[in-house]
Amino acid sequence: LIVLLLSGEGAPLFLQFKEAVQSVLEPYAGASGYDRAGERVVRGQRAMQATGDVFLGFARYQPPDGRTVDFYFRQLWDGKGSVEVEQMGPKRLKKYAWFCGGALALAHARTGDGAAISGYLGDDDLVDDVFAEFAERYADLNDADHAAHEAAIATGRIEAAGEP
């Protein structure tokens, strides 16, 4: 849900409201420890973001039908850049993947003790090799899934809408 708010001078502020549901990890790792799913999401985002969103928050709504709906909200501002991965050659794609992985690692390192994680992983290339092997296998799986998806569209087993 996108909400448009206007100041007295007419300056727009867009807020995005998203439903927050139980973590997919809870069946395996137990309850998250937060009473509200939105709080879990917000605390995770605050831990990983280098610059926070002052509008980031969470709430609970109880509609007349008796359900309980948790959600979180944030300022809708798409200041992210984007690239056409399909147009990259192997060298540029490798460099782009390296930068994306570095940004993701930095965000996740903010949620834990970076020195302890580094000490645990050690100085050798074992973890690097394991992660690289996992990434290659996962890429192969993505390729196979995409091919199956395209085949299902081609045979009419599933319907696709929009531009390919």
Side-chain angles (χ1 to χ4, degrees):
L1 173 68
I2 308 296
V3 176
L4 168 61
L5 304 170
L6 298 174
S7 71
E9 294 82 37
L13 170 65
F14 291 94
L15 293 180
Q16 180 180 33
F17 289 73
K18 293 182 126 183
E19 184 175 354
V21 296
Q22 176 187 30
S23 168
V24 297
L25 300 177
E26 287 187 27
Y28 310 100
S32 73
Y34 298 104
D35 293 332
R36 298 171 185 230
E39 180 179 6
R40 174 185 47 79
V41 173
V42 166
R43 287 186 183 263
Q45 287 186 2
R46 284 184 180 150
M48 290 197 304
Q49 291 175 344
T51 303
D53 175 356
V54 297
F55 295 101
L56 183 62
F58 60 92
R60 174 168 281 163
Y61 173 64
Q62 293 180 308
D65 65 8
R67 293 179 300 127
T68 298
V69 181
D70 288 342
F71 60 93
Y72 65 100
F73 46 89
R74 63 184 179 195
Q75 183 176 10
L76 180 63
W77 179 74
D78 188 9
K80 300 180 290 284
S82 121
V83 296
E84 295 290 330
V85 177
E86 297 82 6
Q87 304 302 318
M88 292 183 180
K91 288 182 182 179
R92 285 186 61 209
L93 183 60
K94 183 177 180 179
K95 185 175 278 195
Y96 177 70
W98 187 88
F99 283 119
C100 289
L104 182 62
L106 180 60
H108 282 285
R110 292 176 51 85
T111 65
D113 182 343
I117 294 169
S118 177
Y120 178 78
L121 295 178
D123 293 336
D124 61 19
D125 292 337
L126 179 62
V127 170
D128 297 342
D129 294 342
V130 168
F131 286 163
E133 182 180 336
F134 172 82
E136 289 174 6
R137 288 184 181 184
Y138 203 79
D140 292 342
L141 178 62
N142 282 339
D143 288 343
D145 287 348
H146 181 71
H149 179 75
E150 291 292 321
I153 292 170
T155 62
R157 191 166 58 94
I158 63 173
E159 186 176 326
E163 294 183 28

